[in-house]
Amino acid sequence: MTGSQKKLSFEFFPTRTPEGRAKQVITRKQLSQYNPEFFSCTSGAGGSTKEGTLQAITDILSEGVAAAPHLPCVGMQPVEIIELLQQYKEMGVRHIVALRGDIPSGMGSGMSGLRYANELVELIKTEFGSDFHVEVAAYPETHPQAKSPRSDLDAFVAKVRAGADSAITQYFYNADAYMRFVDEVRALGLDVPVVPGIMPITSSTQLMRFSDACGAEIPRWIRLRLQAFGDDTASIRAFGLDVVTHLCEQLRSQGAPGLHFYTMNQSVATLEICDRLGL
Ligand code: FAD
């Protein structure tokens, strides 16, 4: 399979300053050369970054690229979600990343509205039919709050049965976990594309912090090497590029339908990996 047949997408988070916004425009311009299927922008649960996400989506559309806003439903009422989707539709958005989002601590039991992402997918499909291509999240290494790997797989299946068109995974550094997850999904008769989420490695402390929070496992051999590099960022970056490029090669050769990069609003590492892959 050639690179041109694969889906390629790049994720950003909303910026808070005009400088950040201007930098993001440049970053996206550099990444546009790879003809992404879309650029996505995250959104804080409970609408906490709504304005920033809207701004980024407006910018992306004005650059002539398809834009995919992330929509975490937790803490939002269905009527608010429908209003926001209507606004996105009028702006020309055709892609939504439908999520539950992380429940702010202490709010769990008292929250009304939608509880899980499958309910959001159902709402989008009921209200908007096929106006939006709906992406959902998948967890090859199991979502940290899931009761078991099986219940998490069931939750994923519920999202697909509710109408999800494709999925993007949490990042991981173990290709076997991804392949097994896809095999399990296929064994249940679902042929939805499951695109691996790729997190370039550029900083040891940042990666450890994120991975602890989202339940992504850093294999021991990678963790030990990153720790041994200490403050030597050049070595961390060089090692990270090798590891992540090799992971992408493995995933592509084993049939992954595309790659979704968590850019962290930076272009250097993602560009280098795309170059090395010959995308
Ligand atoms: P769900 O699929 O609803 O699952 C959440 C948990 O509940 C899982 O443990 C699942 O096993 C369990 N579950 C699901 N259904 C049921 C049920 N019926 N009964 C019991 N248990 C159930 N977060 C943000 O806040 N903003 C973002 O922009 C954002 N973007 C993301 C993008 C990607 C590609 C990924 C992978 C994650 C993203 N996240 C984002 C993080 C995500 O919101 C969190 O991981 C969140 O905790 C789960 O969201 P979900 O959509 O996977 O939830």
Side-chain angles (χ1 to χ4, degrees):
M1 270 184 275
T2 65
S4 59
Q5 294 169 301
K6 306 267 187 178
K7 285 152 70 86
L8 190 59
S9 49
F10 300 104
E11 179 175 315
F12 296 86
F13 53 80
T15 56
R16 295 206 182 112
T17 60
E19 296 76 30
R21 186 178 160 202
K23 185 177 166 231
Q24 205 172 81
V25 171
I26 297 170
T27 303
R28 280 196 302 265
K29 193 161 187 195
Q30 291 168 321
L31 292 168
S32 295
Q33 63 179 295
Y34 296 104
N35 290 323
E37 188 192 10
F38 61 83
F39 285 132
S40 81
C41 184
T42 63
S43 186
S48 57
T49 66
K50 193 176 157 198
E51 293 310 319
T53 304
L54 268 171
Q55 182 64 71
I57 295 301
T58 306
D59 287 347
I60 294 167
L61 291 169
S62 74
E63 292 156 14
V65 180
H70 293 211
L71 176 44
C73 63
V74 76
M76 287 178 80
Q77 296 302 319
V79 61
E80 294 174 82
I81 296 171
I82 293 168
E83 261 172 38
L84 182 58
L85 287 164
Q86 189 59 39
Q87 186 178 359
Y88 281 141
K89 185 176 159 181
E90 283 160 19
M91 287 165 67
V93 169
R94 296 293 172 263
H95 243 97
I96 296 286
V97 183
L99 303 146
R100 182 194 70 175
D102 284 317
I103 301 168
S105 54
M107 280 183 69
S109 54
M111 283 185 43
S112 58
L114 307 185
R115 289 166 312 156
Y116 296 110
N118 66 300
E119 296 169 9
L120 174 61
V121 177
E122 202 175 318
L123 178 73
I124 299 173
K125 290 294 172 180
T126 305
E127 295 292 327
F128 293 92
S130 56
D131 289 347
F132 296 109
H133 177 107
V134 178
E135 304 271 357
V136 289
Y139 301 86
E141 295 178 338
T142 304
H143 185 267
Q145 289 154 8
K147 287 198 196 90
S148 67
R150 180 67 219 196
S151 73
D152 206 32
L153 181 64
D154 291 343
F156 177 74
V157 170
K159 294 191 273 195
V160 177
R161 297 221 195 282
D165 298 291
S166 50
I168 301 170
T169 75
Q170 183 57 274
Y171 68 88
F172 55 86
Y173 296 103
N174 180 350
D176 286 345
Y178 167 80
M179 294 314 300
R180 175 168 283 269
F181 180 81
V182 174
D183 285 349
E184 286 171 342
V185 169
R186 299 287 173 258
L188 292 169
L190 305 177
D191 62 359
V192 64
V194 180
V195 174
I198 305 295
M199 176 72 90
I201 299 176
T202 55
S203 150
S204 172
T205 39
Q206 192 188 45
L207 185 70
M208 306 284 174
R209 203 176 58 240
F210 280 150
S211 303
D212 282 348
C214 72
E217 182 158 309
I218 307 177
R220 183 171 176 275
W221 70 275
I222 296 182
R223 192 161 29 87
L224 288 179
R225 278 169 177 74
L226 289 175
Q227 282 164 352
F229 288 132
D231 294 336
D232 179 359
T233 39
S235 296
I236 292 173
R237 283 169 181 268
F239 172 71
L241 282 173
D242 286 348
V243 168
V244 177
T245 305
H246 179 66
L247 173 69
C248 294
E249 281 165 351
Q250 268 181 298
L251 294 167
R252 295 176 80 223
S253 69
Q254 292 176 30
L259 298 171
H260 175 84
F261 283 91
Y262 295 103
T263 69
M264 305 305 292
N265 289 359
Q266 307 290 328
S267 62
V268 178
T270 303
L271 282 168
E272 177 73 29
I273 295 166
C274 291
D275 264 358
R276 289 191 186 190
L277 291 170
L279 294 179

